Amino acid sequence: MPLRLFVDFDGTITRGDVGNIFYRTFGGAACDELVKRFRAGEINARECFRGEAKAMGRVSPGALGDLVDAQEIDPSFKGLVAFCRDRGVELLIVSDGLDYYIRRILARNDCGEVPFVSNSAALVRPGEDKCAEVSVAFPHSDAGCDRCACCKRNIMLTRSAEEDIIAYVGEGFSDRCPVRYADIVFAKDVLQTYCQDENISYYEYATFDDVVARLRTLLDRSRLRPRARAEAERRAAFRHES
Ligand SMILES: [Mg+2]
C-alpha cells in the first residue's frame, strides 16, 4: 500500500506564519482587519488575500526578499525529506500561502527539489524605483467552497489513488479540512484541539523527527490501513464531484 504524505508549509515547515508576516509587514493593520473579517465569515479566503496584497501597496523586491530570507524552517524537515526519498514515500507540500516565498525558502534551505502546490504571487507594474505591486492568483481554488483559497482536499484526492494511504502533517486553520480525508494525521497546536473536537485520531508531534519515527514504525511493523471515516469522507467527496 503506497503511502503519500502531504505537509502544510506555514507554521509546520517554517517556524512562523510566513504568509501573515509577508502581508502584515507591508500592509499593516488593514491586514489584521481583513483576517478578522475572514475568520468571521464576512469575506472569503480569496477576498482576504487579495485585500491583503492590495494593502501592501508598492513594495521593494529587495525588502520583500530580505523579509522572506529571514524566515527559518524547522531543521528537522530535511530529515523527513531524506526519509521519504529513502522509503519511496511521495511527499507534497500543500499550502494556502504563496509560491513566491515557499519556493525561495525551500531553495535557501537546500529543499528546492521538494514539490509544492499553493497560491501564487507575482510582482507586477514595477516603477522606476523598482517598487512593484503584489498580484495574487488562486489556481487551486474549489468551485463550491471558499473557506480556503487553495483547496488542499482536492489536491490530496486528485494526487492519490484509491489504494493509497494518505498521511497529513499540519498545525492550523487551513489544515482542518484536509485532516478529515487523511488516514494518518500528525497534529500540533490548534489543529490538535480541532482533531479532539471532531474525534479525528491523530499523532501529536513537536518536530519532524517525531513524524519520521512514527512513520518508520508504521511502515516497518504493520500493514498500513485506511482510517474508516477518512475513507468514507473521500468516497462522499467523489460522489459529490461526479
Ligand atoms: Mg500552517
Side-chain angles (χ1 to χ4, degrees):
M1 278 214 172
L3 175 65
R4 282 183 187 271
L5 181 60
F6 297 88
V7 185
D8 169 54
F9 188 75
D10 285 60
T12 297
I13 293 172
T14 57
R15 298 232 190 252
D17 187 333
V18 184
N20 198 39
I21 294 166
F22 181 90
Y23 291 123
R24 208 199 172 286
T25 301
F26 297 92
C31 295
D32 298 338
E33 189 55 35
L34 285 159
V35 170
K36 208 155 61 182
R37 291 184 60 202
F38 166 57
R39 293 283 161 100
E42 292 168 22
I43 55 172
N44 67 36
R46 279 168 294 171
E47 288 166 332
C48 178
F49 295 148
R50 248 188 230 118
E52 288 190 280
K54 189 155 184 247
M56 291 171 76
R58 300 183 68 78
V59 295
S60 140
L64 208 52
D66 288 347
L67 178 76
V68 171
D69 290 347
Q71 307 305 316
E72 285 177 23
I73 70 163
D74 181 333
S76 65
F77 179 64
K78 286 180 202 173
L80 179 74
V81 175
F83 172 80
C84 289
R85 194 177 44 230
D86 294 347
R87 302 296 295 257
V89 175
E90 293 275 355
L91 167 65
L92 182 68
I93 296 169
V94 283
S95 170
D96 211 7
L98 301 167
D99 60 353
Y100 177 89
Y101 63 78
I102 296 172
R103 185 175 296 117
R104 188 162 174 137
I105 290 171
L106 289 175
R108 196 177 158 81
N109 288 281
D110 307 318
C111 295
E113 80 286 3
V114 181
F116 68 89
V117 181
S118 70
N119 303 312
S120 53
L123 293 175
V124 297
R125 289 184 275 280
E128 271 177 29
D129 59 357
K130 302 231 168 45
C131 287
E133 293 167 27
V134 177
S135 168
V136 287
F138 311 104
H140 306 284
S141 58
D142 181 77
C145 170
D146 52 19
R147 260 173 44 119
C148 303
C150 176
C151 181
K152 298 183 181 188
R153 180 199 74 168
N154 289 358
I155 297 160
M156 278 181 12
L157 297 188
T158 52
R159 299 289 183 111
S160 51
E162 211 182 321
E163 66 274 18
D164 289 345
I165 295 294
I166 297 176
Y168 190 89
V169 190
E171 47 71 55
F173 186 81
S174 71
D175 305 316
R176 293 162 64 151
C177 170
V179 296
R180 305 174 66 90
Y181 302 86
D183 299 301
I184 302 166
V185 175
F186 292 92
K188 66 178 179 181
D189 303 340
V190 296
L191 186 62
Q192 277 193 75
T193 320
Y194 177 77
C195 290
Q196 287 161 12
D197 291 346
E198 295 292 313
N199 260 316
I200 296 168
S201 52
Y202 68 94
Y203 296 109
E204 189 180 344
Y205 73 99
T207 74
F208 290 104
D209 293 339
D210 304 325
V211 177
V212 167
R214 177 64 63 181
L215 288 178
R216 184 172 283 128
T217 308
L218 288 171
L219 284 169
D220 288 347
R221 227 183 27 200
S222 53
R223 253 195 64 206
L224 295 172
R225 265 192 296 263
R227 188 167 64 88
R229 254 178 67 208
E231 219 178 13
E233 294 268 19
R234 293 199 290 266
R235 269 201 298 269
F238 277 119
R239 263 202 307 276
H240 192 72
E241 291 291 307
S242 55

